[in-house]
């Protein structure tokens, strides 16, 4: 896949964390071989996180995130720390940079990363101040992990960091196939993609593009149509397709018209597994049946696009829920990186397919929902459940239905 065509969301996210002035931005510039971030001896030089996408030799497409330093005591320090926390939730690998013996905050972050199952690289930036031994000793008070000692200004130091990244790529990151066991070589797959007002002009949306690519990689035969052409498309084939993948919004129409032998799924259901955890989402959908007129539902959308009429998250799903449980049911919608700190007020969270987020970040949201005891599901699973056809939908991974 070429660099331009690898969306941020599918790249390995490597976050750089550490005290102010420890050399985080120097490290980023070294890794990217460009002057991406401002470097200076003034503490608190980096304010907003800097996201830089690039192709890292031997690793592939990555996004580096340079963050504001710990110990930024300015008025905006707290707000900056919020952004650093978000960067931390997105990081598949966290590099913690130490440049002196004041390791307290680094230690706290280290434990946070470990609790989030984030791969962590402990790095001492050797600025030539003869403090390496003392810093090492300080780090040993809280971790037995390997410590990387580098000079971030030197090429061989950067090379050591690249190799450490390579060693720390999490197993779960390796982008799995989207369609998984649902499709094998030679299968005929019909993609039903309504090009309505929601569709971007002249383009296909990311889940459709990525699924199509997945099918081509698998040497499947992909046939695309709009909903109104579905019956005609099926009639044009000399055998029933092995699988039909539709937009969840037309689940019912497609289900009613499809050949019996063809399996049916949706882009959103595929993404439930590719970006999140389908077992949690299928389990979470059961909570839909326990909703009542005073329930509170949170809808979380990854895109922060201006909503159009008939928006699935803002209009269609809320309408379906209110029709079933009463107009007084409360639906809150959040978008982009906004996600409430407190989830316990909600009876259910319904997430979009999250094609714009990396998997690590979606899993962090799921972990938060689980920790807060709030069921979580996604758009496609919700629609299939509300229409009573979830049991007839093919899921990309095994899930216990009961
Ligand atoms: N000698 C030497 N100086 C370094 C090294 N790395 C960084 N510096 C210097 O340390 C200072 C701080 O470097 P930055 O890269 O801006 O540090 P930072 O961690 O991004 O700092 P904040 O953005 O303020 O949190 C600069 O003056 C750098 O030139 C190094 O490996 N060796
Ligand atoms: Mg900086």
């Amino acid at each position: 896949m070429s660099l331009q065509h690898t969306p941020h969301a599918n790249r390995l996210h490597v976050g750089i964390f550490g005290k102010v002035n420890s050399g985080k931005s120097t490290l980023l510039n070294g890794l990217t071989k460009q002057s991406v971030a401002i470097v200076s001896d003034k503490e608190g030089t980096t304010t907003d996180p800097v996201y830089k996408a690039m192709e890292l030799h031997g690793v592939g497409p990555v996004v580096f995130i340079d963050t504001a330093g710990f110990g930024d005591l300015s008025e905006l320090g707290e707000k900056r720390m919020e952004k650093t926390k978000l960067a931390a939730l997105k990081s598949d690998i966290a590099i913690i940079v130490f440049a002196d013996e004041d390791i307290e905050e680094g230690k706290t972050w280290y434990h946070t990363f470990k609790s989030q199952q984030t791969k962590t690289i402990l790095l001492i930036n050797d600025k030539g101040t003869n403090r390496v031994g003392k810093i090492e000793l300080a780090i040993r008070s809280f971790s037995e992990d390997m410590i990387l000692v580098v000079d971030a200004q030197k090429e061989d130091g950067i090379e050591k960091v690249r190799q450490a990244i390579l060693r720390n790529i999490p197993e779960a990151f390796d982008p799995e196939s989207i369609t998984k066991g649902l499709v094998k070589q030679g299968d005929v797959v019909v993609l039903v993609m309504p090009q309505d007002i929601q569709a971007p002009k002249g383009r296909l949306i990311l889940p459709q593009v990525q699924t199509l690519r997945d099918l081509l990689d698998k040497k499947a035969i992909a046939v695309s149509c709009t909903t109104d052409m579905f019956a005609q498309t099926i009639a044009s084939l000399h055998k029933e397709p092995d699988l039909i993948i539709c937009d969840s919004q037309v689940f019912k129409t497609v289900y009613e018209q499809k050949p019996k032998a063809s399996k049916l799924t949706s882009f959103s259901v595929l993404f439930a597994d590719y970006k999140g955890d389908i077992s949690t989402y299928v389990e979470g959908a059961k909570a839909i049946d326990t909703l009542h007129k005073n329930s509170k539902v949170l809808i979380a959308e990854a895109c922060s696009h201006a909503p159009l009429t008939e928006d699935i998250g803002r209009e269609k799903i809320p309408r379906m829920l209110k029709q079933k449980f009463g107009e007084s049911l409360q639906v809150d919608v959040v978008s982009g990186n906004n996600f409430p700190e407190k989830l316990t007020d909600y009876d259910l969270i319904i997430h979009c397919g999250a094609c714009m987020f990396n998997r690590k970040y979606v899993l962090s949201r799921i972990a938060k929902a689980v920790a807060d005891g709030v069921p979580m599901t996604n758009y496609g699973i919700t629609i299939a459940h509300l229409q009573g056809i979830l049991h007839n939908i093919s899921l990309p991974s095994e899930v216990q239905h009961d």
Side-chain angles (χ1 to χ4, degrees), residues 224-266:
S224 311
C225 65
T226 50
T227 320
D228 52 328
M229 295 300 285
F230 179 62
Q232 211 172 312
T233 303
I234 296 292
S236 76
L237 300 171
H238 76 266
K239 71 172 188 102
E240 292 146 342
D242 300 284
L243 177 69
I244 298 158
I245 306 172
C246 70
D247 186 304
S248 303
Q249 301 183 61
V250 295
F251 250 146
K252 200 150 196 178
T253 316
V254 173
Y255 179 69
E256 284 164 0
Q257 294 181 44
K258 84 173 181 73
K260 247 197 156 83
S262 303
K263 289 177 283 183
L264 173 65
T265 193
S266 78

Side-chain angles (χ1 to χ4, degrees), residues 361-379:
Y361 184 45
V362 181
L363 292 178
S364 82
R365 287 186 167 189
I366 293 175
K368 184 167 169 53
V370 170
D372 285 1
V374 184
M376 179 160 165
T377 187
N378 93 341
Y379 286 6

Side-chain angles (χ1 to χ4, degrees), residues 2 9-10 26 33 65 132 140 147-149 160 180 186 188 193 211 225 237 247 274 286 304 326 356 367 380 384 397:
S2 80
N10 295 339
T26 305
K33 295 190 171 52
I65 317 170
V132 173
R140 280 287 164 254
I147 300 170
L148 207 61
V149 181
K160 280 192 208 164
K180 300 208 170 134
V188 175
M193 311 189 287
T211 305
C225 65
L237 300 171
D247 186 304
Y274 182 56
K286 291 180 188 159
S304 39
M356 300 303 284
S397 291

Side-chain angles (χ1 to χ4, degrees), residues 7 23 41 61 113 115 144 161 185 212 217 219 227 236 271 303 339 346 368 371-372 380 383 387:
D41 57 6
F113 285 125
S115 73
E144 285 298 311
V161 180
Q185 184 166 346
L212 199 47
D217 285 344
K219 306 286 173 198
T227 320
S236 76
F271 271 64
C303 309
F339 199 61
Y346 293 100
K368 184 167 169 53
D372 285 1
I383 293 174
Q387 294 179 336

Side-chain angles (χ1 to χ4, degrees), residues 18-27 38-47 66-70 125-128 150-154:
K19 247 182 81 177
V20 283
N21 249 348
S22 55
K24 301 179 294 300
S25 300
T26 305
L27 188 62
I38 300 171
V39 166
S40 97
D41 57 6
K42 187 170 166 289
E43 292 192 350
T45 302
T46 308
T47 54
D66 178 23
T67 61
F70 317 148
N125 187 18
D126 180 5
K127 290 187 180 184
V150 305
D151 179 341
Q153 283 179 330
K154 298 223 172 92

